[in-house]
Amino acid sequence: MDNERYSRQLILKGFGVEAQNKLINSRILVIGAGGLGCPILQYLVTAGIGTIGIVDDDTISLSNLHRQILYATNDIDQPKVKVAAKRLRLMNPETHIVEHELRLDKSNIFNTIESYDIIVDGTDNFDSRYMINDVCAILQKPLIFAAVAGFEGQLAIFNVKNEQGIATNYRDLFPISPLPGEVSNCAENGVLGVLPGIIGSMAAAETIKLVTGIGQPLISKMLHYNLLNQATYTLNISPGNDYFLPESKADFLLSNEEQLCPKTPVFEEIDLATMQLLQEEASALVIDVREKHEFPLLNKEIFLQVPMSEFNTFVQNNIAAESIVLLCQHGIRSVAAAELLQEKYGHTKKIYSLKGGISKWRNHFLTKQNE
């Protein structure tokens, strides 16, 4: 080990040689070498991780360059894995880089993941996220999850036991995979280049904390970050029991998509017209779970504002309304809030989430803002 290379972290109180040796002896797999994967890879390599695997089957395009910081204009059309590996080896020749130029599927995911200590998911599609989650749960591999959407990012650690000896997985938070096209990705919604850099750096930090044992990693917690005002809040994730999760490799290989991604949610996602009909019912309560700084502002006489950062506390109260409609900016947080309410009330109340959120029905809500 070249002590001078790592000298600034070796002198950190509570870190030192012991923590550095843990990094050197660790094996980390980073899935996705895009906007999130690039900063994750860069900071893990320069921190001194012993072995890093890179999984990606994509090539570099011009639209990647504003956020995928390992690549340059003359790399366009080249495989991301090969270009990333070349740059990373120049940054730190002491780290062993393993190239997995492939797309993970049922036929290769176990063989790819099994030899690594920690898996970091920087993918941008739900099929991959659920597959990676399920295999990591079967293999009991710690999984660091990172995602970005619009101006917001999410980060969590799964399959690691907390102080109570309980571990959670991605399906405990989002048990149901959305149908194709239900949730937009960066290619559709866009992304500011610095956002995956911020979330990717955070994911690298969580990986280092998990390997070395320093600090308080986000075990069974989901951190939500808003770039526009630097606001963050953290949700505690509790184990659920309303989803199918294969118990073994054999179960996973035999399972079908309908089992892994059931299409019947425990609550109902609705469109704007249905929400308006429900608003006409005296018993319906409409809750805006966005943070207080988010626009457009809604009429508080019509929409009860309960920010997601306060929702766990709110759920402890009894709600008299028979029907509850939840909405947020993109229809993602409202689904999480609906699941929390479903856990408490089961089928004794009718719970709904506005699909696509305020962004999808922006003209309607801008009109409401001026009423």
Side-chain angles (χ1 to χ4, degrees), residues 82-129:
K82 292 191 179 301
V83 176
K86 181 180 178 180
R87 296 260 158 57
L88 294 169
R89 289 180 180 121
L90 291 172
M91 290 180 185
N92 189 355
E94 293 187 354
T95 295
H96 176 53
I97 307 294
V98 182
E99 301 173 28
H100 301 279
E101 192 180 343
L102 52 83
R103 185 175 186 84
L104 291 177
D105 58 31
K106 275 190 173 184
S107 69
N108 59 32
I109 187 167
F110 278 92
N111 287 340
T112 304
I113 284 179
E114 280 175 326
S115 66
Y116 291 92
D117 304 320
I118 295 174
I119 313 303
V120 187
D121 180 6
T123 58
D124 62 355
N125 68 87
F126 287 99
D127 287 345
S128 294
R129 288 176 188 170

Side-chain angles (χ1 to χ4, degrees), residues 24-81:
I24 292 170
N25 293 321
S26 64
R27 295 175 56 85
I28 311 298
L29 181 68
V30 179
I31 305 176
L36 289 164
C38 282
I40 292 169
L41 288 164
Q42 183 171 347
Y43 280 106
L44 290 182
V45 166
T46 54
I49 296 292
T51 299
I52 288 186
I54 313 171
V55 176
D56 205 301
D57 71 333
D58 199 8
T59 57
I60 299 160
S61 64
L62 182 61
S63 63
N64 297 153
L65 300 183
H66 88 296
R67 67 193 184 281
Q68 299 183 17
I69 56 174
L70 285 173
Y71 314 128
T73 304
N74 60 359
D75 295 322
I76 290 173
D77 294 331
Q78 298 299 309
K80 290 182 179 179
V81 165

Side-chain angles (χ1 to χ4, degrees), residues 296-343:
L297 299 175
L298 302 183
N299 188 333
K300 293 183 179 179
E301 295 182 3
I302 302 174
F303 304 92
L304 174 65
Q305 187 173 35
V306 183
M308 201 66 198
S309 57
E310 303 172 9
F311 207 79
N312 278 328
T313 302
F314 173 76
V315 170
Q316 296 174 15
N317 302 317
N318 288 321
I319 301 174
E322 297 177 4
S323 300
I324 306 169
V325 181
L326 300 134
L327 70 157
C328 64
Q329 204 75 337
H330 300 287
I332 298 174
R333 285 171 286 175
S334 59
V335 165
E339 290 170 353
L340 290 173
L341 289 177
Q342 194 75 50
E343 287 181 12

Side-chain angles (χ1 to χ4, degrees), residues 147-307:
V148 293
F151 294 104
E152 300 172 346
Q154 295 176 331
L155 189 64
I157 298 177
F158 299 118
N159 301 325
V160 179
K161 291 182 180 180
N162 60 18
E163 294 176 352
Q164 289 73 44
I166 298 171
T168 59
N169 70 84
Y170 185 70
R171 289 185 185 273
D172 288 313
L173 189 62
F174 302 113
I176 302 161
S177 175
L179 293 170
E182 280 190 334
V183 180
S184 301
N185 58 24
C186 292
E188 298 165 312
N189 277 340
V191 62
L192 199 62
V194 296
L195 178 61
I198 294 167
I199 301 301
S201 298
M202 288 182 176
E206 291 301 304
T207 306
I208 291 169
K209 287 159 62 180
L210 202 58
V211 171
T212 61
I214 65 170
Q216 297 178 326
L218 290 167
I219 296 171
S220 292
K221 297 178 184 292
M222 173 73 79
L223 182 143
H224 187 94
Y225 170 82
N226 188 308
L227 179 146
L228 294 178
N229 62 4
Q230 304 292 355
T232 62
Y233 63 84
T234 304
L235 297 173
N236 291 318
I237 304 170
S238 300
N241 54 15
D242 54 353
Y243 57 80
F244 173 80
L245 183 68
E247 295 183 358
S248 67
K249 180 178 179 179
D251 288 343
F252 176 84
L253 295 175
L254 291 172
S255 63
N256 57 45
E257 191 63 23
E258 187 64 26
Q259 285 178 302
L260 295 176
C261 304
K263 304 306 180 186
T264 304
V266 292
F267 55 89
E268 184 178 352
E269 289 191 281
I270 58 175
D271 60 15
L272 178 64
T274 305
M275 188 190 81
Q276 289 177 300
L277 289 174
L278 289 167
Q279 284 181 288
E280 295 175 3
E281 298 180 8
S283 60
L285 174 66
V286 185
I287 304 176
D288 176 7
V289 300
R290 298 174 304 154
E291 299 304 303
K292 294 179 180 179
H293 58 269
E294 295 183 62
F295 290 95
L297 299 175
L298 302 183
N299 188 333
K300 293 183 179 179
E301 295 182 3
I302 302 174
F303 304 92
L304 174 65
Q305 187 173 35
V306 183

